[in-house]
Amino acid sequence: MSRRRRWALAGLLCGVTAVAVTVPLVAWCNPWHYVHLMPYGRPGVMVPALVLAPLLVAAAAWLMVRDWVSRGVVLGVAVLLSLVVWVGGTQYAAVVELSDSAAPAGATVVAVAPGGRFELVRLEYRPFLTLRNVVRVRSRAGLRSRESRQNIACFTHAIDGFPAPERVFGAARFVSDNEIEVTGGDGIAWRTAFDPRTMLTAQTLSRGCG
């Protein structure tokens, strides 16, 4: 392989590495709560990307360095860094999986506002043999769609047994463009309004969520 091609391929590998590191980290922070960015910040995506990054850099260095000793040192350091990231990332993923930051087991759009600007989404979590249903507001703006930082309503009950009806999610709908009605399994309806700009409400509903 010619020198020019080696350097071009090395540059391509470095570019891929930059994307593989930057996108998951930005998605992990995601201060804007962009809906389409959220999946890339989860441990299942972030950890493999960070593990792969040192190996890609080592491959780029392998193409640019001709000395075999230097190549061996670069490869050894890359493998060591990947192992460290893998061990730390696995532990981090386990902690996240048991926390409130865990990815939902499912997400369902349950209502759309009359004006079409917002939607209600039900997020389902299953921590510690329990079922937790969370209702949040999302904007409908294509790639710029955002999710509220706030749980508008939350219902939690044990998966086994017969849960109390008030702890079971029933339904959610828009009363108006910025007013929501949430109904539990007991049939009791609860209403609140949210700020269209921040998608936050002054009141939230918690049934067994602490």
Side-chain angles (χ1 to χ4, degrees):
M1 184 183 295
S2 67
R3 178 185 177 87
R4 179 176 296 180
R5 289 185 177 180
R6 288 202 311 271
W7 280 81
L9 183 55
L12 177 61
L13 289 172
C14 289
V16 172
T17 303
V19 173
V21 172
T22 302
V23 171
L25 290 180
V26 171
W28 177 64
C29 297
N30 196 7
W32 319 277
H33 281 240
Y34 285 134
V35 175
H36 297 290
L37 195 58
M38 288 178 177
Y40 299 102
R42 292 168 183 165
V45 174
M46 186 169 62
V47 174
L50 296 180
V51 168
L52 185 62
L55 300 178
L56 291 174
V57 172
W62 186 279
L63 291 169
M64 292 185 290
V65 178
R66 303 304 297 272
D67 180 70
W68 285 98
V69 175
S70 299
R71 283 181 169 182
V73 171
V74 169
L75 181 60
V77 171
V79 171
L80 180 61
L81 284 175
S82 293
L83 288 174
V84 171
V85 173
W86 176 258
V87 172
T90 302
Q91 294 177 346
Y92 167 75
V95 172
V96 169
E97 191 64 28
L98 298 176
S99 71
D100 290 336
S101 300
T108 306
V109 176
V110 295
V112 176
R117 291 181 55 199
F118 302 98
E119 64 187 21
L120 291 178
V121 61
R122 177 176 63 88
L123 304 174
E124 184 179 293
Y125 298 87
R126 294 177 177 270
F128 298 113
L129 299 177
T130 59
L131 176 61
R132 184 168 76 244
N133 284 300
V134 169
V135 177
R136 289 184 184 169
V137 178
R138 284 182 179 176
S139 64
R140 291 164 58 87
L143 292 177
R144 295 184 295 107
S145 298
R146 296 183 300 115
E147 183 178 283
S148 65
R149 300 182 179 88
Q150 183 185 57
N151 294 337
I152 304 300
C154 179
F155 297 82
T156 299
H157 63 82
I159 293 178
D160 56 347
F162 299 93
E166 65 270 14
R167 291 198 173 192
V168 178
F169 171 78
R173 68 184 184 95
F174 282 93
V175 179
S176 64
D177 280 333
N178 70 322
E179 189 176 5
I180 302 165
E181 181 180 89
V182 180
T183 306
D186 54 1
I188 298 177
W190 173 84
R191 290 188 179 186
T192 189
F194 66 91
D195 184 334
R197 185 177 61 85
T198 63
M199 295 187 292
L200 299 179
T201 66
Q203 303 177 57
T204 59
L205 177 65
S206 177
R207 298 283 180 85
C209 298

